[in-house]
């Protein structure tokens, strides 16, 4: 598979400006991946390096987004033992390549990351969020790469973007978080909580705290009632400038 990941025609065709060619290549890739019950870590990393540069070569914004959505649909077609290793290879690749992304190309990778945050939640939500082992492993992957609290090699820009989209994408997948799913939600929040407490930089810790302070998340976690203002928001209101006093 290592050679296939770099030289197979569908890798080159995924970057085509022709939609039919791109769709055919994606179908070939999907069939190729879905037929396998196990793929080595090395092969997945080589595959994702190829996919990363397929998106790199895609110029038009509409086609960039279409390709990102197509790539984010891949986990749904994989056999269960392959999904989490596939997601880990994605995050490892993004973390490794982040500093090489030029400013003009950054938006398309930010969009791809958002799509993969969503795709990860969608995978975990299958069967009513009932896969405890999957939740734990997913949390370990997030803590290892995009939400890593200590490793200085993980780009802060990646941390900030994942934190920025985290609640939005969780809400898109499941906006109903009653008491019966509280344990699942706490497991999902674990890496963010760890980053808020153990992040090496104050600005990173504050960003994680801001995510945890999102009113939607606080309501889901039972920390406040819907419509109630959180402490941080109340403090902001208190600090608003009220004009010049006489």
């Amino acid at each position: 598979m290592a050679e296939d990941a770099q030289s197979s025609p569908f890798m080159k065709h995924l970057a085509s400006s022709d939609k039919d060619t791109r769709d055919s290549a994606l179908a070939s890739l999907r069939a190729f991946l879905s037929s396998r019950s196990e793929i080595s870590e090395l092969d997945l990393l080589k595959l994702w390096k190829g996919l990363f540069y397929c998106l790199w070569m895609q110029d038009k914004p509409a086609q960039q987004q279409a390709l990102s959505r197509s790539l984010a649909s891949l986990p749904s077609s994989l056999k269960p033992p392959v999904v989490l290793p596939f997601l880990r290879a994605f995050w490892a690749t993004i973390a490794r390549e982040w500093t090489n992304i030029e400013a003009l190309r950054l938006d398309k990778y930010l969009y791809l990351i958002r799509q993969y945050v969503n795709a990860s939640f969608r995978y975990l939500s299958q069967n009513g969020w009932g896969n405890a082992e999957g939740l734990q492993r997913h949390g370990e992957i997030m803590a290892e790469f995009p939400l890593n609290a200590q490793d200085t090699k993980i780009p802060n820009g990646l941390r900030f973007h994942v934190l920025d989209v985290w609640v939005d994408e969780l809400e898109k997948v499941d906006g109903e978080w009653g008491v019966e799913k509280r344990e699942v939600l706490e497991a999902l929040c674990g890496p963010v909580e760890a980053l808020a407490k153990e992040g090496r930089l104050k600005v990173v810790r504050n960003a994680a705290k801001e995510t945890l302070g999102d009113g939607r998340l606080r309501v889901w976690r039972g920390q406040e009632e819907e419509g109630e203002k959180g402490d941080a928001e109340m403090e902001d209101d208190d600090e608003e400038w009220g004009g010049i006093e006489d």
Side-chain angles (χ1 to χ4, degrees):
M1 176 173 172
E3 293 182 359
D4 289 340
Q6 293 190 333
S7 63
S8 178
F10 60 62
M11 298 297 287
K12 178 177 68 176
H13 292 162
L14 273 172
S16 172
S17 60
D18 180 72
K19 184 178 183 301
D20 290 340
T21 300
R22 196 169 60 245
D23 289 348
S24 177
L26 180 65
S28 297
L29 176 60
R30 192 184 304 277
F32 177 77
L33 293 174
S34 64
S35 66
R36 284 156 173 76
S37 299
E38 183 178 1
I39 304 176
S40 74
E41 177 184 6
L42 179 60
D43 283 343
L44 285 171
L45 288 172
K46 289 183 176 181
L47 172 65
W48 260 112
K49 185 171 184 179
L51 293 175
F52 180 91
Y53 283 102
C54 281
L55 183 58
W56 181 282
M57 298 300 293
Q58 188 59 261
D59 292 328
K60 297 181 180 179
Q63 293 171 353
Q64 292 166 6
Q65 293 189 5
L67 178 56
S68 291
R69 290 192 296 269
S70 296
L71 295 179
S73 72
L74 290 174
S76 64
S77 64
L78 301 177
K79 293 185 177 180
V82 180
V83 177
L84 289 170
F86 185 82
L87 293 175
R88 184 184 181 279
F90 165 76
W91 289 115
T93 300
I94 292 296
R96 184 187 67 242
E97 301 291 343
W98 181 271
T99 56
N100 297 323
I101 301 174
E102 302 164 354
L104 293 176
R105 287 186 164 97
L106 184 58
D107 281 352
K108 57 183 169 183
Y109 287 103
L110 294 179
Y111 186 78
L112 176 66
I113 290 165
R114 177 185 284 272
Q115 294 303 307
Y116 259 86
V117 172
N118 183 283
S120 298
F121 286 147
R122 289 196 180 280
Y123 166 70
L124 295 173
S125 71
Q126 293 175 1
N127 303 314
W129 303 91
N131 185 349
E133 182 179 352
L135 284 167
Q136 179 181 350
R137 183 65 185 119
H138 174 264
E140 292 170 352
I141 292 169
M142 298 301 284
E144 182 183 6
F145 291 107
L147 300 180
N148 188 297
Q150 294 292 317
D151 190 349
T152 57
K153 293 181 181 179
I154 302 298
N156 284 326
L158 176 57
R159 290 185 176 101
F160 291 141
H161 183 59
V162 171
L163 289 169
D164 188 48
V165 304
W166 197 87
V167 179
D168 289 341
E169 298 310 313
L170 181 58
E171 184 179 37
K172 289 176 185 177
V173 172
D174 191 340
E176 300 294 331
W177 291 94
V179 175
E180 71 283 358
K181 293 192 292 187
R182 189 68 49 79
E183 186 175 346
V184 170
L185 185 57
E186 293 306 311
L188 293 172
C189 290
V192 186
E193 290 276 10
L195 189 57
K197 295 175 183 176
E198 303 168 12
R200 292 175 65 92
L201 296 178
K202 183 177 180 180
V203 65
V204 173
R205 295 195 300 272
N206 286 343
K209 290 174 183 177
E210 185 176 342
T211 296
L212 295 171
D214 186 289
R216 293 165 295 177
L217 187 57
R218 287 180 60 82
V219 169
W220 298 340
R221 299 177 79 184
Q223 296 173 335
E224 66 180 61
E225 297 295 327
E226 190 169 1
E228 179 184 342
K229 286 189 175 182
D231 293 340
E233 188 176 350
M234 291 293 288
E235 289 176 5
D236 289 343
D237 289 347
D238 291 341
E239 292 175 1
E240 285 184 3
W241 182 63
I244 300 174
E245 296 182 359
D246 294 334

